[in-house]
Amino acid sequence: MAPALLLVPAALASFILAFGTGVEFVCFTSLQPLLGGAQKLGPDTRQEWLTALQDPGILAALARDLGLLLLFVGQHSLMAAEPVKTWMTQHFGVLQRSLYVACTALALQPLLMAIVVMRYWEPVPEGPVLWEAQSEPWVTWIPLLCFVVHIIAWLLIFSILLVFDYPELMGLKQVYYHVLGLGEPLALKSPRALRLFEHLRHPVCVELLTVLWAVPSLGLDRILLAVLLTLYLGLAHGLDQQDLRYLRAQLQRKLQLLAGPNDGDAE
């Protein structure tokens, strides 16, 4: 049991890193575009689209941002591939999910590649914008409306994480089950749950895309971020009605558990 207990600190360290990165990700995707008014420029100081796309400085910033996004997408996709997961399970055992979560946090976060996307992301304030509120009352109401939309989206994201068993997503449950000799948590999932996992690349696809697009000002760097992540999340997002019915049933079950004791369990 002693060697197994050594896995617990590793899983907890991965969870703490991922949690901290999640907080920074909320700031990067929501607070920065909603409250980062210091970088806003007037329309007279912005370049036109054709001029901006020929500006070496803007192109260099966009190329750097694209490289950061491709680093994250490459890590996230490569480590989710079945052969890589099998290799990691063979070499790291029950820590496979924790290692995946930690590497994802590092790809977003600098420790090794840490806060890479968020810390080294380069805004392009002098470039053109796809849309921007510039006059009253829109300059007041549009950011406020976006703020409300972001609050709703993040609340939905947190509720969905409850449905998807947050400790298991973070790799904690796998280590906990291993230490107690309970086996692999995924092996105890119903066929409906396993079917859902095969169809879903990310459990908060729609809500995350709402956060990326519902911003008061959408400049070149944010367009690049929103478009690339939209393509990445959407291409392998294949839910059907059976998956949605299962998700609805699981959400109702979690809400009943949070509300108090109930008479029966929902599957």
Side-chain angles (χ1 to χ4, degrees):
M1 183 64 72
L5 289 176
L6 296 178
L7 301 173
V8 176
L12 287 176
S14 171
F15 171 77
I16 293 171
L17 175 62
F19 185 82
T21 303
V23 172
E24 293 213 37
F25 186 73
V26 173
C27 296
F28 176 71
T29 55
S30 287
L31 297 184
Q32 191 178 110
L34 292 177
L35 305 178
Q39 294 181 349
K40 291 184 179 179
L41 300 177
D44 296 336
T45 60
R46 294 189 184 280
Q47 299 184 23
E48 297 293 333
W49 286 91
L50 290 178
T51 305
L53 294 178
Q54 296 173 356
D55 187 322
I58 291 180
L59 291 178
L62 292 177
R64 181 178 181 177
D65 292 342
L66 178 61
L68 294 173
L69 282 171
L70 292 178
L71 171 66
F72 166 71
V73 169
Q75 175 273 325
H76 213 56
S77 299
L78 179 64
M79 294 188 70
E82 204 58 43
V84 177
K85 289 169 65 176
T86 301
W87 180 87
M88 290 175 60
T89 301
Q90 291 173 350
H91 290 79
F92 298 99
V94 72
L95 287 178
Q96 180 268 326
R97 182 66 190 181
S98 294
L99 184 61
Y100 173 80
V101 169
C103 289
T104 299
L106 291 175
L108 280 175
Q109 266 275 351
L111 295 175
L112 293 174
M113 288 186 283
I115 308 177
V116 166
V117 173
M118 295 183 289
R119 286 282 172 86
Y120 292 124
W121 185 263
E122 190 165 345
V124 188
E126 70 276 12
V129 294
L130 191 60
W131 62 70
E132 183 179 36
Q134 295 179 350
S135 60
E136 293 290 354
W138 308 116
V139 74
T140 299
W141 287 104
I142 294 298
L144 181 59
L145 178 61
C146 290
F147 182 80
V148 172
V149 170
H150 280 226
I151 291 293
I152 294 173
W154 286 114
L155 288 176
L156 288 173
I157 287 173
F158 297 146
S159 66
I160 290 171
L161 291 178
L162 286 177
V163 173
F164 275 81
D165 199 342
Y166 186 68
E168 186 172 347
L169 285 175
M170 294 294 102
L172 290 174
K173 193 172 184 179
Q174 289 87 332
V175 173
Y176 173 75
Y177 272 44
H178 177 75
V179 170
L180 296 182
L182 300 177
E184 170 61 44
L186 197 61
L188 305 177
K189 297 290 184 184
S190 67
R192 297 168 67 192
L194 296 177
R195 183 180 186 276
L196 173 68
F197 294 158
E198 291 177 357
H199 291 176
L200 188 61
R201 167 169 284 178
H202 203 287
V204 292
C205 179
V206 176
E207 295 78 8
L208 185 55
L209 293 182
T210 301
V211 167
L212 293 173
W213 287 99
V215 291
S217 176
L218 196 67
L220 279 177
D221 62 303
R222 290 284 165 170
I223 293 173
L224 177 66
L225 176 69
V227 168
L228 191 59
L229 290 185
T230 298
L231 292 174
Y232 173 66
L233 292 173
L235 287 177
H237 195 75
L239 296 184
D240 54 22
Q241 290 298 320
Q242 186 174 341
D243 295 323
L244 295 176
R245 284 195 297 269
Y246 173 76
L247 276 174
R248 190 179 301 114
Q250 290 300 302
L251 178 58
Q252 292 173 353
R253 177 176 177 270
K254 297 288 185 178
L255 291 176
Q256 290 174 357
L257 290 175
L258 290 174
N262 54 356
D263 295 331
D265 293 331
E267 175 56 25

